[in-house]
Amino acid sequence: PPKGQTGPMFSNLHMIFNSLTTPLLPLAIYLIFLGLLNLGPSPKVFTGRLDRMYLYAGVSGLVIYGPIQILLPSNAVIRFGDHVWYPMMVLYFFGVLAISMVSRPQLVIYNLSYQDFSLLLSRVKKREVWMEERFGNVIQIIDLEIQFEITSVHAMKSVSLCATRGNQSNLGWHELHKMLRRELISYKASPNGFGWIYLASGLVLAAMVGWTSVSMA
């Protein structure tokens, strides 16, 4: 075989990276995941870092199939053949990890409306006796040494708590995350109708991937 390639396994790898499987499979899994979150019986809270990792994993196929493949150095392809995809995937992973680590603290709650979250946060603050200052959608919890802006997305039925400045207490964010997660254990939410759209879209993409895989066989 040519330099940098070692047989049928790498030829099959090349076919996979140049088929619809690469861009569509991670996206299909991510959409199905979003659909199940929105149709679940109770809200789920994630750290912003974990939420971004899920998103970056979902669009990883599109990035590999698009920008990475277009900007891939031709000399690297000639030298390493299909082996070149392994360092490129590792590079993407470390790039995503670096972005996540330098991002400001954030919490994301799925399947919860803004009004319901306001009531839930009020109960938590009252129970924990936290002192706060509020400026519209921006809340500063003095006891935890954190300050965040509350934003919501109706189609996702989600609420995000985004840090308004970088210098904040990580322990305070951890404590808020723990208290919200504890409060949500007994909270029952009505399913979000948009979840069916995400779920159906993910299943359609998964079916396309399956059809492509059968055609390649």
Side-chain angles (χ1 to χ4, degrees):
K3 189 176 183 180
Q5 297 184 357
T6 57
M9 183 181 74
F10 295 103
S11 178
N12 292 336
L13 183 65
H14 179 75
M15 291 177 62
I16 291 173
F17 276 109
N18 286 277
S19 69
L20 288 177
T21 302
T22 300
L24 296 188
L25 183 58
L27 184 59
I29 295 174
Y30 180 66
L31 288 174
I32 292 173
F33 172 70
L34 286 182
L36 294 177
L37 278 181
N38 282 271
L39 295 174
S42 60
K44 301 294 182 183
V45 57
F46 300 99
T47 62
R49 182 175 300 172
L50 184 59
D51 185 64
R52 281 187 291 270
M53 292 293 284
Y54 287 145
L55 174 61
Y56 295 148
V59 301
S60 61
L62 297 174
V63 175
I64 291 173
Y65 198 77
I68 288 182
Q69 190 159 216
I70 292 174
L71 300 175
L72 197 62
S74 57
N75 289 337
V77 178
I78 295 173
R79 175 64 180 84
F80 298 104
D82 291 317
H83 288 286
V84 75
W85 288 111
Y86 295 111
M88 295 307 294
M89 287 188 291
V90 171
L91 182 63
Y92 177 77
F93 171 77
F94 280 110
V96 166
L97 188 61
I99 293 173
S100 299
M101 293 188 68
V102 300
S103 299
R104 291 183 178 182
Q106 182 181 10
L107 294 177
V108 183
I109 307 175
Y110 286 96
N111 203 19
L112 190 70
S113 66
Y114 178 85
Q115 293 77 12
D116 291 339
F117 170 76
S118 297
L119 295 175
L120 182 143
L121 183 61
S122 297
R123 289 201 300 268
V124 173
K125 289 186 296 186
K126 184 177 181 181
R127 186 181 66 238
E128 301 298 324
V129 198
W130 289 338
M131 295 180 60
E132 69 159 37
E133 292 183 0
R134 185 161 190 150
F135 313 93
N137 285 342
V138 176
I139 294 179
Q140 179 178 3
I141 301 180
I142 300 173
D143 302 83
L144 300 183
E145 299 179 4
I146 62 175
Q147 185 182 79
F148 54 85
E149 180 183 11
I150 305 175
T151 58
S152 62
V153 180
H154 177 69
M156 292 288 294
K157 196 181 179 183
S158 65
V159 177
S160 297
L161 313 182
C162 308
T164 55
R165 49 188 172 83
N167 186 21
Q168 302 206 23
S169 170
N170 289 326
L171 290 177
W173 278 96
H174 178 73
E175 183 69 16
L176 178 62
H177 182 204
K178 184 175 68 174
M179 291 297 105
L180 290 177
R181 187 170 53 186
R182 180 183 301 175
E183 188 73 21
L184 289 171
I185 290 177
S186 58
Y187 189 92
K188 299 301 179 183
S190 58
N192 178 20
F194 283 95
W196 292 109
I197 298 177
Y198 302 130
L199 186 60
S201 300
L203 292 175
V204 169
L205 292 180
M208 291 177 63
V209 170
W211 177 80
T212 303
S213 301
V214 171
S215 301
M216 291 172 54

